[in-house]
Amino acid sequence: GAAGPRRDPRQHRGRDIEVELPVFLEDTLSEAGKKISYRVPQYSADGTGMEEVTKNLNVKIPRGVADNERIRLKGQGVPGQGGAGNGDLYIHIRLVPHPLFDVEGHNLIVTVPVAPWEAVLGAKITVPTLTGKIQLTVPANTQAGKRLRIKGNGLYSKNGRGDLYAVFKVVVPAHSGEDERQLWQQLAETSDFNPREGWIGK
């Protein structure tokens, strides 16, 4: 039978390129666009050698993209030789650490300082989210380390949106005036609260 088409031995598919792209948490909430610049080795016009050119792209970041996720852009890698196809560009997403929020899966954690009297009596306070500030009620007798769930204020996933958890940290004043010290002393003498009740270390 007739022989099939012969492959040009000079044909080589271009190799793939991998780059890292830092992404802010806020950028994962929408179909944000990010400009990237990367170096692409390619064959010179006469095919005798290699040269590097800088390529610029505007990359659409999918909503809900996760840390370490890999995005493939077909044909944006190294050009092929002899008419062969181009390689691909693989973008590794690196979520930039946020000064306020920690990430747990698609949930966010924010540590909220509260005064001792706010923890005991309860309070209405302002807390940040990725899209703005909201009012939050601190329940009376809130323990340090307690988590309060704020539904739907986390990161997006393929199944919806995660939650924001406020973790309360009780902060004691660094300095107290004489009037304040007297009030603390009065509380110490009046209260029968024992913080080490049932503590394994006592």
Side-chain angles (χ1 to χ4, degrees), residues 77-156:
V78 177
Q81 187 181 23
N86 295 349
D88 300 327
L89 174 66
Y90 287 91
I91 298 175
H92 282 263
I93 300 297
R94 294 284 183 262
L95 291 186
V96 177
H98 197 283
L100 280 175
F101 303 103
D102 291 320
V103 179
E104 286 186 0
H106 289 92
N107 296 325
L108 295 175
I109 315 296
V110 60
T111 300
V112 181
V114 292
W117 49 90
E118 290 177 321
V120 172
L121 302 174
K124 289 192 180 296
I125 62 173
T126 301
V127 299
T129 73
L130 277 181
T131 53
K133 295 181 178 180
I134 60 172
Q135 292 293 308
L136 186 66
T137 298
V138 181
N141 299 313
T142 288
Q143 298 293 322
K146 175 182 173 61
R147 284 189 174 200
L148 194 64
R149 178 186 178 213
I150 305 165
K151 188 176 180 181
N153 277 270
L155 301 177
Y156 282 100

Side-chain angles (χ1 to χ4, degrees), residues 14-184:
R15 68 178 175 81
D16 298 334
I17 294 178
E18 304 210 8
V19 297
E20 283 195 358
L21 179 61
V23 174
F24 294 107
L25 294 184
E26 291 85 349
D27 293 336
T28 70
L29 299 184
S30 63
E31 301 280 335
K34 280 276 191 181
K35 289 183 178 178
I36 64 168
S37 180
Y38 60 103
R39 303 284 288 173
V40 181
Q42 64 182 31
Y43 292 99
S44 57
D46 59 10
T48 59
M50 298 291 289
E51 59 186 11
E52 276 202 345
V53 297
T54 299
K55 197 165 184 177
N56 298 297
L57 279 179
N58 193 43
V59 179
K60 194 174 184 181
I61 306 300
R63 190 174 78 165
V65 71
D67 193 34
N68 291 322
E69 193 165 328
R70 217 162 162 240
I71 299 173
R72 177 191 180 208
L73 298 181
K74 190 174 181 180
Q76 296 293 343
V78 177
Q81 187 181 23
N86 295 349
D88 300 327
L89 174 66
Y90 287 91
I91 298 175
H92 282 263
I93 300 297
R94 294 284 183 262
L95 291 186
V96 177
H98 197 283
L100 280 175
F101 303 103
D102 291 320
V103 179
E104 286 186 0
H106 289 92
N107 296 325
L108 295 175
I109 315 296
V110 60
T111 300
V112 181
V114 292
W117 49 90
E118 290 177 321
V120 172
L121 302 174
K124 289 192 180 296
I125 62 173
T126 301
V127 299
T129 73
L130 277 181
T131 53
K133 295 181 178 180
I134 60 172
Q135 292 293 308
L136 186 66
T137 298
V138 181
N141 299 313
T142 288
Q143 298 293 322
K146 175 182 173 61
R147 284 189 174 200
L148 194 64
R149 178 186 178 213
I150 305 165
K151 188 176 180 181
N153 277 270
L155 301 177
Y156 282 100
S157 70
K158 293 176 177 61
N159 301 318
R161 192 172 179 184
D163 302 319
L164 173 64
Y165 288 87
V167 180
F168 296 110
K169 175 184 178 183
V170 177
V171 181
V172 176
H175 303 284
S176 297
E178 188 55 37
D179 289 346
E180 290 174 303
R181 289 184 59 81
Q182 288 182 11
L183 288 172
W184 286 117

